[in-house]
């Protein structure tokens, strides 16, 4: 007999998203677990997490990770607010979900949404619809009606029969539940008996609602799925460009710092920080592409704690901010204007260092140099100027 649902809490009740990301992703055939693979310059898991952090009805997010993945996880989510500390998963998905649910007992959740870490394209509408469905049901899952003709294979190959596709759905995530209901179901279940969470409630005769999902909510599982993911990312992206320009004068010294590389010279550059005119221009280009002001706004020169600071600090802030906005860097182009020192012998080292700082390949970084034909302050060798252009991709739902 089907159990009658208890009186539901309102959809506005505290909702926690539980993202399961503890698998090794062996079917993806990658050396790094697939959830940490870069997708458009941003780790796949970070894109998934941000989809829930941005949703107005999600109060907080809990991620379940593998016991060997702490460093990968911290790098993937750096700069994101609203995350609970990660939980170590079990030997299979069911055990990982249970571990995640147990960690939420004292967090006050009335509803929980359980989602695959490898589904980065979940839409705000799908999340909202699953939460709303919990007004009338103990559980609700995102799903797609089966539209293809289904065939059952014989044990040794060939078709045995055509399967009636009426009333068949493909289960997706997120799957939403009343917290106490799904926690009890996991505690009562035998180990490793369910490939999704809704089946545990189905086995107890508890009503689980179906919510129509979007076809773009793919789970990245196989190598070819990454190609599709990149196509989906491109179709939902906006390209933006930022321009940065900076100037620093010379003062007595023995070396200049350009692009993070110390270059011997008869003077050094004067500035509040390390006066790296290249990284300053690049940082401002990234801020400009985001519409996020300039270095002076984020790191005021009046603040003594930035005196002598490495300019990589500013660049790291700009790149982290870009990631929190769902953006990634496509390429950068830098032009250094000076009579001396000569840039050519140090160009390759600059390119390599900058690429490492912002996690790009060297072919995405261009460093050029020119003189001003003895004209102006650079021509008189009073200082160095630099111009940088950055092209970035911003998620279309930003």
């Amino acid at each position: 007999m089907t159990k009658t649902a208890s009186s539901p809490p309102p959809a506005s009740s505290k909702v926690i998203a539980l993202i399961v990301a503890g698998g090794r992703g062996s079917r993806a055939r990658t050396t790094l677990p697939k959830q940490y693979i870069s997708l458009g310059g941003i780790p796949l898991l970070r894109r998934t997490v941000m989809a829930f952090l941005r949703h107005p009805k999600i109060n907080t997010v809990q991620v379940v990770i593998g016991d060997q993945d702490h460093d990968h996880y911290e790098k993937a989510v750096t700069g994101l607010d609203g995350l609970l500390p990660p939980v170590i998963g079990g030997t299979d998905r069911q055990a990982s979900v249970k571990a995640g649910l147990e960690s939420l007992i004292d967090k006050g959740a009335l509803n929980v949404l359980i989602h695959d870490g490898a589904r980065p394209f979940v839409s705000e509408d799908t999340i909202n619809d699953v939460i709303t469905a919990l007004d009338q049901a103990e559980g609700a899952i995102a799903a797609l009606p089966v539209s293809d003709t289904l065939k059952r294979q014989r044990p040794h190959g060939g078709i045995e029969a055509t399967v009636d596709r009426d009333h068949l759905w493909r289960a997706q995530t997120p799957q939403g539940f009343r917290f106490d209901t799904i926690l009890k179901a996991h505690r009562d279940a035998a180990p490793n008996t369910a490939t999704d969470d809704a089946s545990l409630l189905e086995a107890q005769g508890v009503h689980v609602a179906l919510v129509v999902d979007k076809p773009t909510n793919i789970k990245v599982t196989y190598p070819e799925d990454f190609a599709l993911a990149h196509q989906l990312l491109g179709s939902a992206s906006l390209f933006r460009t930022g321009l940065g320009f900076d100037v620093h004068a010379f003062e007595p010294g023995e070396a200049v710092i350009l692009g993070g590389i110390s270059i011997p010279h008869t003077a050094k550059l004067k500035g509040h920080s390390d006066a790296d005119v290249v990284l300053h221009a690049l940082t401002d280009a990234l801020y400009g592409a985001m519409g996020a002001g300039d270095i002076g706004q984020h790191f005021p020169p009046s603040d003594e704690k930035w005196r002598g600071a490495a300019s990589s600090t500013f660049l790291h802030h700009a790149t982290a901010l870009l990631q929190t906005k769902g953006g990634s860097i496509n390429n950068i182009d830098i032009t250094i204007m000076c009579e001396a020192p000569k840039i050519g012998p140090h160009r390759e080292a600059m390119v390599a260092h900058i690429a490492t700082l912002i996690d790009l390949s060297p072919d995405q970084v261009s460093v050029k140099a020119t003189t001003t034909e003895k004209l102006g302050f650079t021509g008189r060798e009073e200082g160095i100027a630099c111009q940088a252009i950055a092209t970035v991709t911003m998620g279309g739902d930003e």
Side-chain angles (χ1 to χ4, degrees):
M1 178 179 294
T2 301
K3 295 182 180 180
T4 303
S6 60
S7 178
S12 59
S13 298
K14 186 170 184 179
V15 182
I16 295 179
L18 180 63
I19 297 178
V20 187
R24 309 316 300 165
S26 57
R27 288 176 293 180
R29 299 200 295 274
T30 58
T31 55
L32 188 68
K34 65 185 178 185
Q35 58 270 33
Y36 301 108
I37 295 292
S38 174
L39 187 60
I42 297 176
L44 191 153
L45 178 60
R46 186 185 185 91
R47 291 188 179 277
T48 304
V49 169
M50 288 193 301
F52 288 87
L53 288 177
R54 290 194 296 251
H55 197 285
K57 291 185 178 180
I58 299 295
N59 296 93
T60 190
V61 174
Q62 172 77 77
V63 183
V64 181
I65 66 173
D67 61 359
Q68 304 171 28
D69 296 338
H70 280 282
D71 290 343
H72 297 316
Y73 174 77
E74 293 301 330
K75 183 178 180 181
V77 303
T78 181
L80 296 182
D81 295 323
L83 282 168
L84 294 171
V87 171
I88 301 301
T91 56
D92 55 60
R93 186 186 186 281
Q94 184 178 329
S96 292
V97 172
K98 183 175 183 293
L101 292 172
E102 296 285 357
S103 75
L104 298 178
I105 290 175
D106 62 349
K107 300 301 187 295
L110 294 180
N111 294 329
V112 60
L113 264 58
I114 303 171
H115 187 69
D116 298 324
R119 291 187 190 269
F121 299 112
V122 60
S123 70
E124 181 175 319
D125 288 342
T126 293
I127 295 172
N128 192 65
D129 290 346
V130 171
I131 293 172
T132 300
L134 295 177
D135 281 348
Q136 305 298 327
E138 295 279 348
I141 72 168
L144 291 170
V146 172
S147 58
D148 296 319
T149 297
L150 299 177
K151 303 290 184 179
R152 181 183 296 113
Q153 183 184 26
R154 296 182 186 278
H156 301 292
I159 297 173
E160 180 179 81
T162 298
V163 179
D164 184 0
R165 69 188 178 195
D166 288 347
H167 310 298
L168 292 182
W169 291 67
R170 291 164 46 200
Q172 309 261 99
T173 67
Q175 300 193 352
F177 306 95
R178 315 265 179 86
F179 179 75
D180 291 343
T181 300
I182 191 63
L183 177 62
K184 183 178 185 303
H186 268 278
R187 286 176 169 176
D188 292 345
N192 198 21
T193 56
T195 57
D196 82 333
D197 305 287
S199 61
L200 298 179
L201 269 63
E202 296 159 26
Q204 297 179 358
V206 177
H207 173 63
V208 178
L210 290 168
V211 170
V212 180
D213 197 6
K214 298 182 184 299
T216 51
N217 185 19
I218 65 168
K219 183 179 181 181
V220 179
T221 304
Y222 300 100
E224 54 269 26
D225 293 334
F226 282 97
L228 177 57
H230 280 287
Q231 291 177 12
L232 290 171
L233 182 64
S235 65
S237 298
L238 300 173
F239 293 95
R240 300 178 66 169
T241 301
L243 174 65
F245 183 80
D246 196 39
V247 171
H248 282 282
F250 285 128
E251 65 178 8
E254 298 179 346
V256 295
I257 298 175
L258 296 175
I261 303 300
S262 180
I263 300 174
H265 189 47
T266 56
K268 67 176 183 177
L269 291 172
K270 181 180 180 180
H272 185 67
S273 61
D274 64 4
D276 188 332
V277 66
V278 173
L279 295 191
H280 289 184
L282 175 55
T283 300
D284 268 350
L286 292 174
Y287 284 139
M290 293 181 277
D294 57 25
I295 292 178
Q297 286 180 242
H298 298 278
F299 303 94
S302 58
D303 192 335
E304 283 300 306
K305 74 179 178 180
W306 304 120
R307 181 171 295 281
S311 295
S312 58
T313 300
F314 313 146
L315 184 58
H316 283 144
H317 178 268
T319 54
L321 182 60
L322 179 65
Q323 287 190 340
T324 63
K325 292 176 174 288
S328 60
I329 304 171
N330 294 327
N331 69 286
I332 60 173
D333 187 15
I334 296 167
T335 301
I336 304 168
M337 290 161 269
C338 64
E339 297 291 332
K342 295 297 183 183
I343 302 302
H346 309 282
R347 187 196 319 270
E348 188 174 332
M350 268 190 245
V351 167
H353 186 66
I354 293 170
T356 299
L357 286 176
I358 56 181
D359 199 22
L360 294 181
S361 63
D363 63 2
Q364 293 173 280
V365 178
S366 170
V367 174
K368 308 187 300 293
T370 186
T371 70
T372 55
E373 300 294 338
K374 303 293 184 179
L375 299 175
F377 76 92
T378 59
R380 296 189 297 270
E381 298 190 38
E382 297 171 0
I384 296 178
C386 184
Q387 176 177 280
I389 297 176
T391 302
V392 305
T393 300
M394 303 295 291
D397 57 351
E398 278 298 314

